[in-house]
Amino acid sequence: ESTGNVYWAARRLGGDTLGVPLDRPLLRMASDGQQTGRRRNLRSEAGFGATQSSDGGREEESRRGGGGLIAMPQRGSAARSSVSRRAAVLALLMMVVLTGHVADAALCAAGYTPSGDLCVECAVGTYKAAESNATCTACGTNENSAAGATVCSCNPGYTGSAGSCSACAAGKYKDTLGSASCTSCPSNSNSASASTDIIACTCNTGYTGPDGGACAECPAGSYKTATGSANCTLCAAGKYSTAVAATASGTCVSCPESATSPEGSPAYISCFCIDGYSWYESNTVCVECAAGTWCTGGTLNTCPANSDSPAQSSAATDCTCNAGYSGANGDTCTICAAGTYKSTTGADACTSCASGTYSTIAGATESSFCFPCPPSSTSNPGASAETQCVCDPGYSGADGGPCLVCQAGYYKVANGSAACSECGIGTFSSSTGATTATTCTACPANCVTDTAAIYSFQCQCDIGYTGSPGSCSVCGLGTYKDMAGSAPCAKCAAGTYLNTTGGTAASDCFTCPANSNAPRGSTAITDCTCDPGYTGADGGPCEPCGLGTFKKKSGSATCDTCDTAKYAASTGSSVCTNCPDSNQDSPAGSVSADNCTCNDGYNGPNGGSCVACAAGTYWVQNTTAGYCVDCVQGKYLPDEAVVGDQCATCPTHTDTAGEATGPITGCTCNAGFTGADGKACVACPAGAYKDTQGSDACTDCAANTYSTTLNATSSAVCIACDANAQSPAGSRESVACTCNAGYTGPDGGSCSACGAGTYKPTEGPYACTDCQTGKYSAASAATNESVCSDCIANSDSPAGSTASSDCTCNKGYYKNGAACDPCAVGSYKDSQGDGSCTTCPTGSSTKGTGAEGITECACNDGYYGDLGGTCTECPVGSYCTGGVQMTCPYYSTSVAQSSAQTDCTCSPGYFGPNGGECVLCRRGYYCEGGTTATACSGGGTPPLCSISS
């Protein structure tokens, strides 16, 4: 049993180490190692502390001797780490080892009940309200609880508190365990008592919606006789209902006679008259539709314009078009267009006017509206205007007339407005009104006429003939004429000849034999001579010049041989072709480009392109052919087509990227050196490096590093400054590393943070600056004076102060909570610090608050004495102000402790203003002292009067 207790305690205290939950019940150990008779559900926290004792006091839980009390960790302990938990476990285990047993009697917490040595949760449906060893109690009727409950709750459908759960009333529900109130069903729905879910709320009669959802009222035109989620029932066709949320079919009212309505109609306005009837007397009676109208849905409709219908028509198709109009029944009736007419009603089409007539009248109802065309003209059926009447054959004119007869030399074979046609070339006619081309007479042989000729003398010489009218002669050899008239015959074109007379076209001229030509007007084949590149007798045949030969001019001459560096690769050449490349040559009479070979310094196939040996290579000759050789690495050759090795060495500290380098710019600086390509290279200075070949500049060592190495080839030479120091890029010595702002130390050395109460705004070896007096700072490594906080008002601190506590109240001020308040009037403080103010000596005070010394304590009015010294009451006959005693003016006096000159009043026998000059009382007056002189009078004269007189 003791082992079990230790196990559970260990699991509780060291749960995070042992991998078990941290909320297991614990057993409290007694100092004598025996069971205490109580069992508690203890809650562990990290660290050691005190536990609550059975009498409400606190027991010191430390281990004393061999049987001391093992401390349970308490909430709020400073030691909350897993180390403390392990320590507690080890201490508990040590206790077992030393004593051999563990106490296990403790009280089970509320919601728990004893089970052997453990406290277990109360079962579902039971509870335990207090810490005790009692068993759990079963929940009451309509109640339940979760495991480990300390109280029971009302079941769903019931409300109240444990022991008094009542069913939810009808129209309400509750779907949770607990004491919550029952929820009312949505509007217009209801439920049975003790309902446990919102879906128990069903819509009332006259309302519809999903169970538990919103219930909408049945709209007008419908009703619902039962509760639930069923849809509302529509009023039957021919009836209507204006009531909403109706609960019976009796709310549906019948429409008037000869009227009906759609199913579910919500109002009387939904009623409409049956077809053939329309509303009358404010839509209360349905009456028969009149002729010329049709009715449907209770609406009276007028037939379309220009149509009519019989009475009680019920469709638009009952309306038929009137005479003079055409269209489908019930549709738009279109007026019969001009050129047509219609004499009947209905959907028949309009009839066209006959051929030879026309009509301009739309909507014509008889054929008499069709008028005849003008003389010598006719028309197609349906003509709608006089302009559609066209002239007859033999006549011409605008459509609609007048039509004029065709003149002599003309004819017209068809109807229309076309002009009369001219008699053709070579014919003439003297007839008028001709309707056929046969009226045109042909001209004499070898003559033709222009069009529309009337007389025979208008005939002219035909093509192939030339001369005057009536005397036409044939065109001679080498000529032709392709138009009628007296013009001369034209010569055959160059390259052709004509060896016959009467040519009528250029195509009559014969083409010269192949590869020959002839001048214009040639009359025989021998006029054709061989073209350049061809040779042979005049008139042909002409043979091409052979390979390697050419002939520049036409004629019968022989062909010439091609010069060197030229060739003729085909027959019939008029010129020789230059070798393909200017750097090639060939023998005279060459017949192919293959005869062209490259010159020295060039390489390429015979007859192909010759490529010069590139810069960086040179040409050499072997036993069979020439070839290009690369300059070795480290050398260059800028020229092309160089014969023989003429490669030059690169400048110092440079190299080429490989072989065959051309221009000197191919010589680039080695790593660690820099300079322009092909130029002398300079070593990278200290503080820089270059790890590549080429003209790139040396790379500065990064900021916050330095290097003393020359011509460095890697960034590895760059040494890092102190972690709190910096240097510019490219630094060449360690002293370039200067301490950052907020740190101080020698250049190139170690940098330490500025302490509290100081700051350093710049980098360098400078010392940290103290915060000014009246300020303080707790920050280290500060870089700006802004970290120095101002002391509270009316306080000060030494330079370099590190905390607000270094700020003490100034002279004249004392510490009042967190503020320095001024010393009150009548007190002073003559030193820096948080001490209290000192009261001025008796009879003295300060002029205001914040006095900084006793010397600001001046005697009050009516007293005199030195500043800060003893103050004496001002005697009779004087007045005191500002600590100074002054005597009243002559012949005046004052009471003790007077504080102003105006306190001095004239003595008896004198008068004058208070504090001013006192004048002897005049004769006939008496003065009792003060500001007034009173005149003496007879009877009862005061004694002073005798004195003054």
Side-chain angles (χ1 to χ4, degrees):
E1 182 177 64
S2 297
T3 301
N5 292 337
V6 172
Y7 172 71
W8 287 113
R11 290 187 62 168
R12 182 61 185 97
L13 294 175
D16 58 344
T17 302
L18 300 177
V20 298
L22 297 181
D23 58 353
R24 294 299 185 113
L26 292 176
L27 300 179
R28 185 170 175 274
M29 298 177 64
S31 59
D32 58 359
Q34 300 300 316
Q35 295 182 353
T36 63
R38 301 193 189 104
R39 181 182 284 109
R40 298 187 65 190
N41 186 33
L42 301 178
R43 301 292 179 179
S44 172
E45 298 292 341
F48 290 98
T51 59
Q52 188 70 30
S53 65
S54 59
D55 60 357
R58 301 191 60 83
E59 298 175 356
E60 180 64 22
E61 292 195 315
S62 59
R63 187 164 181 224
R64 299 184 180 88
L69 185 63
I70 296 300
M72 293 292 103
Q74 290 295 302
R75 182 174 289 108
S77 172
R80 296 179 179 271
S81 67
S82 60
V83 175
S84 297
R85 296 176 184 267
R86 297 187 189 101
V89 172
L90 291 175
L92 184 58
L93 294 175
M94 183 62 72
M95 181 69 177
V96 174
V97 172
L98 294 175
T99 64
H101 57 270
V102 176
D104 64 349
L107 298 179
C108 288
Y112 289 80
T113 187
S115 177
D117 290 336
L118 300 176
C119 294
V120 298
E121 289 181 328
C122 289
V124 173
T126 67
Y127 73 98
K128 185 158 76 71
E131 181 182 73
S132 71
N133 290 332
T135 58
C136 300
T137 303
C139 291
T141 303
N142 302 318
E143 296 176 356
N144 207 343
S145 67
T150 60
V151 66
C152 294
S153 302
C154 293
N155 287 334
Y158 291 84
T159 185
S161 57
S164 59
C165 296
S166 58
C168 292
K172 295 189 175 185
Y173 69 94
K174 178 168 160 280
D175 55 5
T176 59
L177 184 72
S179 60
S181 299
C182 300
T183 303
S184 295
C185 286
S187 298
N188 304 309
S189 66
N190 206 349
S191 67
S193 62
S195 292
T196 61
D197 197 287
I198 192 172
I199 61 173
C201 299
T202 59
C203 293
N204 297 333
T205 58
Y207 291 84
T208 185
D211 291 344
C215 294
E217 61 186 13
C218 290
S222 66
Y223 61 91
K224 182 164 163 277
T225 61
T227 61
S229 59
N231 293 328
C232 300
T233 303
L234 299 178
C235 287
K239 294 190 176 187
Y240 68 92
S241 172
T242 59
V244 295
T247 60
S249 61
T251 57
C252 301
V253 181
S254 296
C255 292
E257 185 178 355
S258 300
T260 188
S261 66
E263 193 178 35
S265 293
Y268 177 79
I269 196 172
S270 302
C271 296
F272 57 90
C273 295
I274 61 176
D275 290 347
Y277 289 82
S278 67
W279 287 115
Y280 181 67
E281 293 185 356
S282 302
N283 293 352
T284 58
V285 178
C286 292
V287 295
E288 181 183 81
C289 288
T293 66
W294 57 279
C295 300
T296 184
T299 302
L300 176 66
N301 303 283
T302 302
C303 285
N306 306 307
S307 66
D308 201 2
S309 67
Q312 204 177 334
S313 293
S314 61
T317 54
D318 293 336
C319 299
T320 57
C321 293
N322 296 333
Y325 292 84
S326 178
N329 292 341
D331 205 347
T332 301
C333 292
T334 304
I335 192 169
C336 288
T340 66
Y341 64 93
K342 180 167 165 275
S343 58
T344 60
T345 62
D348 294 339
C350 300
T351 302
S352 297
C353 287
S355 176
T357 66
Y358 70 93
S359 173
T360 60
I361 300 170
T365 58
E366 298 292 341
S367 61
S368 59
F369 290 102
C370 299
F371 305 104
C373 286
S376 303
S377 68
T378 188
S379 68
N380 291 324
S384 60
E386 189 176 19
T387 55
Q388 292 177 352
C389 295
V390 295
C391 295
D392 293 332
Y395 290 84
S396 179
D399 293 341
C403 294
L404 304 177
V405 67
C406 290
Q407 301 299 312
Y410 290 85
Y411 65 94
K412 182 166 168 279
V413 297
N415 295 324
S417 60
C420 298
S421 300
E422 298 174 334
C423 284
I425 295 173
T427 65
F428 61 92
S429 172
S430 58
S431 300
T432 61
T435 61
T436 178
T438 57
T439 59
C440 301
T441 303
C443 288
N446 302 320
C447 286
V448 293
T449 62
D450 290 332
T451 58
I454 301 175
Y455 305 106
S456 60
F457 63 79
Q458 291 177 288
C459 294
Q460 298 178 333
C461 292
D462 202 355
I463 56 175
Y465 292 84
T466 186
S468 300
S471 178
C472 298
S473 58
V474 68
C475 288
L477 298 176
T479 65
Y480 66 92
K481 182 166 167 277
D482 57 5
M483 64 175 68
S486 58
C489 298
K491 292 181 178 182
C492 286
T496 66
Y497 67 94
L498 183 58
N499 56 5
T500 60
T501 61
T504 60
S507 59
D508 291 341
C509 302
F510 299 105
T511 302
C512 285
N515 305 310
S516 65
N517 204 351
R520 290 177 67 247
S522 293
T523 61
I525 192 171
T526 54
D527 294 334
C528 298
T529 59
C530 291
D531 293 332
Y534 291 84
T535 185
D538 293 340
C542 296
E543 299 296 332
C545 291
L547 297 176
T549 64
F550 71 100
K551 179 169 162 278
K552 287 186 177 181
K553 298 180 180 179
S554 58
S556 58
T558 59
C559 301
D560 296 321
T561 301
C562 289
D563 291 337
T564 60
K566 295 187 177 184
Y567 67 92
S570 60
T571 60
S573 297
S574 61
V575 293
C576 295
T577 305
N578 292 325
C579 283
D581 195 288
S582 61
N583 296 303
Q584 289 178 330
D585 200 5
S586 67
S590 293
V591 299
S592 171
D594 292 340
N595 300 134
C596 299
T597 59
C598 293
N599 298 331
D600 290 353
Y602 293 85
N603 285 326
N606 292 345
S609 177
C610 291
V611 180
C613 284
T617 66
Y618 57 91
W619 189 85
V620 296
Q621 176 77 45
N622 62 13
T623 57
T624 59
Y627 62 96
C628 300
V629 178
D630 292 341
C631 289
V632 299
Q633 184 169 352
K635 292 192 174 186
Y636 68 96
L637 184 60
D639 298 326
E640 297 180 342
V642 173
V643 179
D645 185 356
Q646 300 180 40
C647 301
T649 302
C650 286
T652 305
H653 302 307
T654 67
D655 200 358
T656 62
E659 297 179 343
T661 299
I664 192 172
T665 54
C667 299
T668 59
C669 293
N670 296 330
F673 293 84
T674 185
D677 293 342
K679 303 291 183 181
C681 297
V682 179
C684 290
Y689 64 93
K690 179 165 164 279
D691 55 7
T692 58
Q693 187 82 17
S695 60
D696 293 340
C698 299
T699 302
D700 285 339
C701 283
N704 306 327
T705 66
Y706 69 93
S707 170
T708 59
T709 304
L710 299 174
N711 57 276
T713 60
S714 170
S715 61
V717 301
C718 302
I719 302 169
C721 294
D722 182 87
N724 297 307
Q726 61 178 296
S727 66
S731 293
R732 303 182 181 185
E733 53 187 350
S734 62
V735 293
C737 297
T738 60
C739 292
N740 294 334
Y743 292 83
T744 185
D747 289 345
S750 177
C751 298
S752 56
C754 291
T758 66
Y759 64 94
K760 180 166 163 273
T762 58
E763 67 275 4
Y766 315 111
C768 300
T769 303
D770 287 340
C771 286
Q772 297 177 6
T773 59
K775 294 177 179 284
Y776 67 92
S777 170
S780 61
T783 61
N784 194 287
E785 186 182 9
S786 63
V787 302
C788 301
S789 301
D790 290 327
C791 288
I792 60 174
N794 306 310
S795 68
D796 202 0
S797 64
S801 292
T802 62
S804 61
S805 58
D806 295 335
C807 300
T808 58
C809 293
N810 296 333
K811 291 180 180 182
Y813 291 84
Y814 70 99
K815 196 65 174 284
N816 184 12
C820 288
D821 289 343
C823 291
V825 173
S827 64
Y828 66 92
K829 181 167 159 281
D830 56 6
S831 62
Q832 186 79 20
D834 293 338
S836 59
C837 301
T838 303
T839 302
C840 286
T842 303
S844 65
S845 185
T846 60
K847 290 184 178 180
T849 60
E852 297 181 358
I854 193 171
T855 57
E856 292 188 50
C857 294
C859 290
N860 296 331
D861 288 345
Y863 293 83
Y864 66 95
D866 295 332
L867 293 175
T870 302
C871 293
T872 304
E873 182 181 73
C874 202
V876 173
S878 63
Y879 61 94
C880 301
T881 183
V884 178
Q885 178 187 5
M886 289 169 284
T887 303
C888 284
Y890 289 115
Y891 310 118
S892 65
T893 186
S894 65
V895 298
Q897 205 175 331
S898 291
S899 61
Q901 186 172 346
T902 53
D903 292 338
C904 297
T905 59
C906 293
S907 300
Y910 293 85
F911 74 98
N914 292 337
E917 181 182 3
C918 291
V919 180
L920 183 66
C921 198
R922 293 178 292 171
R923 186 182 298 277
Y925 289 82
Y926 65 93
C927 299
E928 296 180 311
T931 60
T932 305
T934 305
C936 294
S937 61
T941 299
L944 290 178
C945 283
S946 60
I947 295 174
S948 62
S949 60

